[in-house]
Amino acid sequence: ARSEIVANTPHALAAASRRLDEGAGVMWTADNRDGWHGGGEYSRYIADPEIAKEPTEFMGSHAHRVRVMPYLEGVPCAIHGIVFPDQVATFRPVEMVVFRQPGSPLLRYASVSTSWDPAPTRRDEMRRVAREVGRHVRAQFGFRGAFTIDGVLTSDGFRPTELNPRYGAGVGAIARTAKMPLLGISRMLIAGESEDLNGAEIEQLTIRAADATRHLAGFALVGSSIKETLELRVRWDGHSIVPAEDDNANATLARGPAVQGGLVRFSLDEEAVPIGAFAAPIVAQAFRAADELWGTGIGELIPATEAP
């Protein structure tokens, strides 16, 4: 997608936003002046730059420069690869479960899920992007190991938003469902220990297993302090999530303490995950149930919209 990196001044931010807005608003993302950040923590959704007082003040306190991009309608997602000396293994796309909040510029990141399937042509497109990028960073920088390309799958195709030259959460989700030690493999490659590793075989085994077994889960940090851990078996019936007896339950909803106050976590049982399901609306239903049961204060969430 089009983007501009501008000096962090209200005038420059507003001017770039007007140039880049394609009708759905824009995204502002801070530079790394304060160090590494992720999970949308230093990103803001801007519907109208003329009334973006809080985001403007936030950027003023945390960045020298800001990247401005159009807000992209579609599924936040990522594609991953592992660079071997002679091959680039690429895997299946994963959904990044990300929400907007009504009346707020903040994004809420809620982990990754592998239940969702893009159209086969889009899947091939994303894997091709990852393979080309892997070949490039190997040739240009001698790169080895795992990397992740985050972006949004729009009606016009996959639009990358960042390249992370490291192991990412989506690789971990794929590795768990495929029962493949991808973190260890990545570390071996970084250490130069590649003699017994067959990239093509690892790719094929991982994709086959990760396509057969899916993962659908999400978490939410809450500001209120939660002192004790509580785990509740629940049932997702396709429309809502309600408490259930063990023999009728198919998911787990939990709350517990966290460094920032509290954490709510939802996980659908492996055998209950519908292949192809868009995870964000289901995770939003789980968080709504947590608010009703425990008063966790997550509030209303706006899931991303699947592109046609």
Side-chain angles (χ1 to χ4, degrees), residues 127-182:
R127 293 189 65 213
R128 185 171 62 252
V129 166
R131 201 173 303 279
E132 291 175 358
V133 167
R135 289 169 176 164
H136 173 74
V137 295
R138 182 179 60 200
Q140 193 75 11
F141 307 107
F143 185 87
R144 295 290 187 274
F147 66 94
T148 171
I149 305 173
D150 296 342
V152 180
L153 185 61
T154 74
S155 56
D156 296 320
F158 180 59
R159 295 293 178 265
T161 56
E162 63 177 324
L163 166 64
N164 297 307
R166 56 171 171 77
Y167 194 87
V171 192
I174 291 169
R176 285 192 300 274
T177 56
K179 296 179 173 58
M180 179 69 71
L182 297 181

Side-chain angles (χ1 to χ4, degrees), residues 109-298:
Y109 169 74
S111 192
V112 299
S113 286
T114 66
S115 57
W116 167 77
D117 283 321
T121 54
R122 296 307 191 196
R123 171 176 166 135
D124 291 345
E125 173 192 357
M126 293 178 68
R127 293 189 65 213
R128 185 171 62 252
V129 166
R131 201 173 303 279
E132 291 175 358
V133 167
R135 289 169 176 164
H136 173 74
V137 295
R138 182 179 60 200
Q140 193 75 11
F141 307 107
F143 185 87
R144 295 290 187 274
F147 66 94
T148 171
I149 305 173
D150 296 342
V152 180
L153 185 61
T154 74
S155 56
D156 296 320
F158 180 59
R159 295 293 178 265
T161 56
E162 63 177 324
L163 166 64
N164 297 307
R166 56 171 171 77
Y167 194 87
V171 192
I174 291 169
R176 285 192 300 274
T177 56
K179 296 179 173 58
M180 179 69 71
L182 297 181
L183 178 57
I185 290 169
S186 179
R187 287 173 170 169
M188 289 176 66
L189 289 165
I190 291 168
E193 300 173 5
S194 60
E195 183 177 347
D196 297 321
L197 297 177
N198 184 318
E201 184 178 32
I202 289 167
E203 175 186 86
Q204 291 168 10
L205 291 171
T206 301
I207 289 176
R208 190 181 308 131
D211 281 347
T213 303
R214 305 300 180 94
H215 166 82
L216 197 160
F219 66 81
L221 290 168
V222 297
S224 57
S225 178
I226 298 177
K227 301 298 185 183
E228 297 179 349
T229 298
L230 176 63
E231 193 170 279
L232 183 67
R233 289 293 286 165
V234 296
R235 179 168 184 80
W236 175 66
D237 61 9
H239 305 285
S240 61
I241 290 166
V242 296
E245 298 297 330
D246 282 348
D247 60 354
N248 196 38
N250 61 8
T252 300
L253 187 62
R255 69 176 191 188
V259 173
Q260 298 179 350
L263 182 76
V264 174
R265 184 179 295 278
F266 169 76
S267 178
L268 201 58
D269 293 353
E270 187 177 286
E271 61 273 13
V273 177
I275 289 181
F278 185 34
I282 300 172
V283 174
Q285 291 167 4
F287 292 161
R288 190 178 305 119
D291 279 356
E292 293 171 355
L293 290 165
W294 301 321
T296 45
I298 297 171

Side-chain angles (χ1 to χ4, degrees), residues 22-48:
E22 297 176 353
V26 295
M27 292 297 304
W28 293 353
T29 300
D31 63 15
N32 284 349
R33 191 194 79 179
D34 289 354
W36 181 91
H37 52 82
E41 182 184 10
Y42 276 33
S43 293
R44 295 293 184 269
Y45 167 68
I46 310 299
D48 183 349

Side-chain angles (χ1 to χ4, degrees), residues 79-82 88-92 127 130-131 147 203 207:
I79 188 72
H80 304 84
I82 294 182
V88 177
T90 63
F91 305 111
R92 53 163 291 111
R127 293 189 65 213
R131 201 173 303 279
F147 66 94
E203 175 186 86
I207 289 176

